[in-house]
Amino acid sequence: MVRLRIGYGKVDITPSYPVELSGFAARRGKTGTVHDRLHCKSLYISEVLLISCDLLALSRDFSSALRAEAALKLGLKTEQVAIFTTHTHYAPATTFLRMAGEVDEDYLKFLREKVMEVVEISEDQYDANLYFHSSRAPGLAVNRARGGSADDSLMAAHFKPSGKKRVSLVNFACHPVILGPYTKTISADYPAYIYRYYEEKEEEAIFLNGAAGDLNPFTAEGHVHHGTFQDAEKMGRALGEISFPDGELMHPQISFGNVIIRLETEKPAIDEAELRRIIQVKKERGDAIDLKTGIPESIEAEALQDWLESAIKSKPGSVEAEAQAFGLSEALALVNFSGELFSSIGKGVRSRSPFVNTMVVGYANGVVGYIPDTRAYELSTYEAAEAYKYYDTFPFKRNVGEEVAKAMIGALETVSAKAKRSSVSRKDYAIFKAP
């Protein structure tokens, strides 16, 4: 049996002073209150490095700089390094999101130092076997965009060394927003309790959020949130317990590849007079909640006015994004994208992947905004019709989901071709097949 060389690192990235949190336009002011610590974790796997941070999002530029520095330190290429965020909405603002927290440059400097520290820790490497487990976690996530079905697939890749802690990648798709938009307490949300479950077993876990663009936790009604820390614990511990079994022993084969694409935007028709009328109406409604977005109308008015002043002077263009794939065995791969993917896109990529099992990961290597499917544009959901204003861009063209899926499949096919494949069919590996 061929074994992998792995190295695991973990550092605390909780701010030591009051900061503005990111993720909700409804929240105002700084906080220094901490419910659970935020961490940055790294996992070196033979030829690739994964870095995961308990943060909302990172910009493409900042992520690229971190990846390049980490790659140089370990003698890798940038495409061999991935940096993810768990997308918790209760962490310091680390990238621009209109009206949703001011970025603290001092915290970014601190974060960069901590990322390099965790990379250095991962240089301590040892042999491990790879196991894969897949299951379902029904009822924990709901489709907030149209009330349809959620993706309840739960996957875990377990790296099991001799005489050291097992380290696991846990992949599930759901927004970490259980605590609602007004909570001013630093927290990793439900992923914190996944970690805690594994730690109680004297093991370590890294959470990789999936295609969660239209998925909220079970405590939400659309974009309105009613959850508590007890709910976060319930969800996190359930995911920990379901993902925990070793599963099947895999035959490791490491390969990597990526596809860079440019996502075209288009400028919406702007009726300035009508928009200013809407802004005034929203101001008058004050603290009334817009049920489509979950945001108070007065705050929406402020954000819309700020976006309008920028939009009338701007032109559409394109945004760079990246699809990145890591092959871990002839039957297992990760594919990552730098956006908030709709769950239908994640399901589609899994079904078309050349690998029997594919862990789809969002919020990777910077986040460029939501990637809705065509149905979301037809229904004018928040993610398709409003969210781009907070990301300070114009909406992507309606075929963006198809273009992104094509790039992700392309990255997987590149990785599949690179791998030294054994002569087994997908049918032969049915025992490994994820739901």
Side-chain angles (χ1 to χ4, degrees):
M1 165 61 70
V2 177
R3 306 188 83 195
L4 294 166
R5 293 287 291 174
I6 72 164
Y8 173 72
K10 176 181 174 182
V11 297
D12 193 312
I13 58 170
T14 312
S16 60
Y17 55 89
V19 295
E20 292 192 23
L21 306 184
S22 187
F24 291 113
R27 187 169 47 201
R28 289 289 183 270
K30 296 183 177 182
T31 183
T33 304
V34 178
H35 183 271
D36 48 84
R37 311 295 292 181
L38 306 178
H39 292 94
C40 176
K41 302 180 180 184
S42 64
L43 183 63
Y44 174 86
I45 313 170
S46 290
E47 300 177 54
V48 298
L49 176 70
L50 283 63
I51 303 167
S52 176
C53 299
D54 291 326
L55 298 169
L56 180 84
L58 297 171
S59 70
R60 281 280 289 155
D61 288 346
F62 188 70
S63 294
S64 296
L66 288 177
R67 291 170 68 199
E69 190 170 353
L72 182 63
K73 187 171 185 60
L74 295 183
L76 304 174
K77 297 178 181 178
T78 302
E79 67 186 88
Q80 292 171 262
V81 179
I83 184 164
F84 310 94
T85 57
T86 61
H87 203 53
T88 176
H89 285 47
Y90 311 98
T94 46
T95 191
F96 177 84
L97 197 63
R98 177 168 277 114
M99 309 298 295
E102 188 74 23
V103 176
D104 187 316
E105 294 298 329
D106 288 335
Y107 182 78
L108 286 184
K109 292 177 183 177
F110 163 79
L111 178 62
R112 178 198 158 277
E113 292 171 358
K114 286 297 181 180
V115 169
M116 290 307 109
E117 182 181 332
V118 83
V119 170
E120 184 174 351
I121 295 171
S122 67
E123 290 185 282
D124 179 17
Q125 295 156 18
Y126 40 91
D127 290 338
N129 287 324
L130 170 62
Y131 294 80
F132 175 72
H133 172 67
S134 65
S135 187
R136 293 193 181 279
L140 295 179
V142 296
N143 193 312
R144 72 187 190 187
R146 50 180 171 264
S149 62
D151 184 357
D152 61 7
S153 297
L154 176 60
M155 302 185 193
H158 302 295
F159 299 85
K160 195 170 184 178
S162 176
K164 288 183 177 286
K165 292 182 178 181
R166 190 182 70 162
V167 181
S168 300
L169 300 176
V170 178
N171 177 220
F172 184 73
C174 186
H175 264 71
V177 292
I178 285 181
L179 307 174
Y182 299 106
T183 298
K184 291 175 64 175
T185 302
I186 292 168
S187 172
D189 202 273
Y190 71 83
Y193 294 97
I194 299 175
Y195 305 151
R196 195 165 299 175
Y197 182 90
Y198 274 77
E199 288 163 1
E200 288 171 0
K201 307 286 187 181
E202 298 187 350
E203 299 188 3
E204 295 287 345
I206 297 174
F207 177 66
L208 301 178
N209 210 332
D214 55 348
L215 302 182
N216 266 357
F218 68 97
T219 53
E221 295 179 23
H223 286 267
V224 180
H225 308 275
H226 306 287
T228 64
F229 281 111
Q230 288 73 28
D231 294 318
E233 180 173 12
K234 175 183 176 181
M235 181 167 175
R237 294 189 73 85
L239 292 171
E241 182 176 4
I242 296 169
S243 66
F244 192 78
D246 275 348
E248 300 295 331
L249 180 64
M250 307 294 275
H251 302 268
Q253 289 183 345
I254 305 300
S255 51
F256 53 88
N258 67 339
V259 174
I260 304 295
I261 60 173
R262 299 202 70 86
L263 306 178
E264 299 296 326
T265 67
E266 51 189 3
K267 191 169 186 175
I270 297 178
D271 184 335
E272 188 175 345
E274 175 62 11
L275 281 176
R276 294 197 184 281
R277 185 193 69 79
I278 292 172
I279 289 168
Q280 183 58 39
V281 169
K282 286 183 175 292
K283 285 181 178 179
E284 292 170 359
R285 290 176 179 166
D287 292 336
I289 301 297
D290 183 335
L291 296 181
K292 182 178 180 180
T293 65
I295 301 172
E297 301 258 19
S298 61
I299 292 175
E300 280 194 329
E302 190 177 350
L304 182 56
Q305 182 168 323
D306 188 63
W307 175 83
L308 177 60
E309 302 305 330
S310 173
I312 58 180
K313 298 180 289 186
S314 302
K315 296 180 179 179
S318 61
V319 177
E320 183 182 273
E322 180 178 6
Q324 179 189 43
F326 295 151
L328 301 182
S329 84
E330 66 271 18
L332 175 62
L334 275 74
V335 63
N336 318 316
F337 190 76
S338 46
E340 299 201 57
L341 301 161
F342 263 42
S343 56
S344 61
I345 298 171
K347 291 178 182 178
V349 168
R350 283 207 309 268
S351 70
R352 294 164 54 196
S353 172
F355 290 85
V356 179
N357 298 290
T358 302
M359 301 170 77
V360 176
V361 188
Y363 313 101
N365 304 321
V367 178
V368 299
Y370 281 94
I371 309 298
D373 57 19
T374 53
R375 181 65 173 156
Y377 283 99
E378 293 169 2
L379 296 175
S380 293
T381 68
Y382 161 76
E383 297 83 0
E386 299 292 336
Y388 65 86
K389 297 170 185 174
Y390 294 91
Y391 274 102
D392 200 33
T393 184
F394 290 127
F396 295 125
K397 292 187 176 181
R398 291 193 171 209
N399 68 341
V400 65
E402 298 166 8
E403 292 299 308
V404 167
K406 181 180 176 181
M408 295 173 77
I409 294 298
L412 286 163
E413 289 175 343
T414 297
V415 165
S416 177
K418 283 183 178 181
K420 297 178 180 178
R421 305 296 299 275
S422 60
S423 58
V424 294
S425 68
R426 293 173 68 92
K427 183 177 179 181
D428 293 329
Y429 271 90
I431 191 172
F432 296 140
K433 180 62 178 174

